[in-house]
Structures are given as structure tokens and as C-alpha cells.
Amino acid sequence: MFNRLRILLIIPVCLLLSGCAQSNYTWGWHVVSPFDDRGLTNLKFLINGVFSTISVALVSITFSVILGLIFALPALSSNRVLALLSRIYVEFFRAVPMLVLILWVYYGVPVLTGLQLSVFFAGVIALALCDSAFEAEIFRAGLQSVEAGQREAADALGLSYVDKLRFIILPQAIRRVLPPLGNQFVYMLKASSLLSVIGYSELTRRANELVVVEYRPLEIYSLLVMEYLVLILIASWGVRKLEQRLARSDRSAAKI
């Protein structure tokens, strides 16, 4: 993994350095240099935002998966009202831009409900609502991919609707949707940068604050790009490993 990560990082670093060499801009890399006391302090300040980025992404994806599954089930119902409500939910939150919903939840929910939301929870609610619409479509496709023969066998056994979902359909569907759910987590890591507009102290917010202090936007944002690159590459590597493991498991099961 680390060898691939180094290779993938070398390419953008080389492009960045070559661009620096050809530019007339006076670079001030000392503001983010680990060999400079001031730069080391700035580096620690930026890197400390990694935990905030990962935590808000994990919590948001957890809630969005739960909501996605809840609204995916009515979409497959024979009840037209439930199916229509599910479709309205999905289409609404897919249509609203994530940044707009973040601003509305942070400023609008306290006015309408009287509840004072922290920046973290306002961001989690907005991210989870937006992403849950896509999760619902992922789950719907996964549930529909389960063969009709599986449902017929469950009916022949006399299983109730809940038991049929619990023991027959959901285990197979969840196994099939795990890779796209992993990709949604990667997307959520990047989308968390939008929370900087409401003051959540993640990577992008910390970079913005440091730019105001140091007046070196290009150097700081270049480092921010590298931070996100490393974070996304690690998450993508985990998703690929999961896909490979599931593929090996399926091949082993097919041989039995």
C-alpha cells in the first residue's frame, strides 16, 4: 500500500515543483516547513484537522446509511403512497445542493424549532440528509438485485415480511452494496470540506484561518491538496481491499 501511495504522491508533487520553478511567484514554503519552528506549528495546526474531518464523515455516513435503508424499503413496496413518499424524499434531497442545505440547517433549524445546534451536529444532519438520498438508491438497487427465486423460497418457507428481509434479502443485498457504500464514504470525506462555511474546524477551515494569519494562500492550499490526497488515497485503498475480499469470498462460495 505504502509503495503505491508514495508513487501516487510523487506525481502531483513533481508537477507542483515544476510549476513552482517556472513561476515568477516568490514562494514561502517556510510557513509550512517542518524544519522551521513557525512552519512546524502551522503544520501541526493543519494536521489536527484530520481527526475532525474523519469524525464528521464517519458519523454522517452512519446516519445516511440508516436513513437510506429506511427510505429504500418503501420504494419497493406495493403501496403506492409509501413508494411515492420515498420517491419524493429521494428526489428532493438529491436536488438540493449540499452547501445550500448545510447553510439552511445551521441557520434555519434554530429559528424554526428553537433548538440550538452545534456546528458539528448541524453539519452531520445536512450531510446525512443529502447523502441518504443516494444511499437509498444504492440500497434499492441492491435489494432489487436479489433473485426472485430467493423471495419465492422465503415465501414457501412461510417467513413473514420482516423475517424474509432479515434472514434472506438484506444479508445478500448488503453484501452487494458494500463497495458503493465505501465509495460514498470517500465522497463524504471530500464533502466535509463544505462545513468550513459554518465554522467547523476541519482541514479546509483550518487552512482558511492559517491563510488569514500567514498571507500565503498558495503554499497553504497546496499543502491542503496533499492532505486530502493522502486521506482519500488511504480510504480508496480500503474500499478496494474490501471489494477484493468480497470477490474472493464469492468465488470461494461458488466453488462449494
Side-chain angles (χ1 to χ4, degrees):
M1 170 195 173
F2 294 104
N3 289 332
R4 293 180 180 178
L5 184 61
R6 279 199 296 267
I7 293 173
L8 290 172
L9 286 175
I10 286 173
I11 296 175
V13 169
C14 290
L15 291 174
L16 178 62
L17 292 177
S18 63
C20 293
Q22 298 175 10
S23 173
N24 294 325
Y25 178 74
T26 302
W27 294 88
W29 291 109
H30 62 278
V31 298
V32 289
S33 172
F35 307 107
D36 184 272
D37 291 339
R38 184 177 175 183
L40 184 60
T41 301
N42 291 338
L43 273 177
K44 290 179 179 178
F45 177 75
L46 287 172
I47 293 174
N48 284 338
V50 172
F51 174 76
S52 298
T53 295
I54 295 175
S55 60
V56 76
L58 282 173
V59 176
S60 298
I61 197 71
T62 300
F63 282 109
S64 69
V65 167
I66 295 172
L67 285 173
L69 179 58
I70 290 174
F71 283 95
L73 295 176
L76 303 176
S77 173
S78 57
N79 188 312
R80 292 186 177 181
V81 175
L82 291 178
L84 178 61
L85 290 176
S86 174
R87 178 51 51 190
I88 291 174
Y89 177 90
V90 170
E91 294 300 333
F92 177 80
F93 285 109
R94 283 202 305 184
V96 177
M98 189 172 287
L99 179 59
V100 173
L101 189 60
I102 290 170
L103 293 171
W104 190 90
V105 169
Y106 184 65
Y107 293 107
V109 169
V111 173
L112 296 178
T113 66
L115 296 175
Q116 294 300 319
L117 297 175
S118 67
V119 174
F120 178 83
F121 284 109
V124 166
I125 291 171
L127 292 178
L129 287 175
C130 277
D131 191 62
S132 64
F134 297 94
E135 303 286 359
E137 290 296 278
I138 291 173
F139 275 113
R140 182 179 63 82
L143 292 168
Q144 288 180 328
S145 71
V146 177
E147 293 76 7
Q150 299 287 327
R151 296 184 176 86
E152 294 171 357
D155 292 334
L157 292 173
L159 295 179
S160 65
Y161 177 75
V162 174
D163 288 339
K164 183 167 60 175
L165 281 176
R166 179 182 175 186
F167 297 112
I168 305 297
I169 299 176
L170 276 180
Q172 298 181 66
I174 290 175
R175 186 182 184 85
R176 297 176 184 182
V177 302
L178 276 178
L181 291 183
N183 290 330
Q184 285 299 112
F185 174 66
V186 173
Y187 170 75
M188 191 67 76
L189 284 172
K190 295 189 292 184
S192 65
S193 63
L194 296 174
L195 300 184
S196 62
V197 299
I198 58 173
Y200 183 63
S201 186
E202 43 72 62
L203 286 171
T204 304
R205 177 71 180 189
R206 285 174 177 258
N208 290 336
E209 292 175 358
L210 197 57
V211 167
V212 175
V213 175
E214 297 290 352
Y215 302 103
R216 285 289 179 179
L218 196 51
E219 293 85 347
I220 295 170
Y221 287 136
S222 295
L223 180 62
L224 179 64
V225 169
M226 301 306 297
E227 286 182 302
Y228 274 111
L229 181 61
V230 172
L231 196 58
I232 299 304
L233 286 176
I234 293 174
S236 299
W237 174 83
V239 171
R240 284 195 297 272
K241 284 297 181 182
L242 175 62
E243 293 176 354
Q244 292 171 4
R245 184 172 181 177
L246 290 175
R248 286 196 299 268
S249 179
D250 290 339
R251 287 195 295 268
S252 299
K255 293 178 181 178
I256 298 177

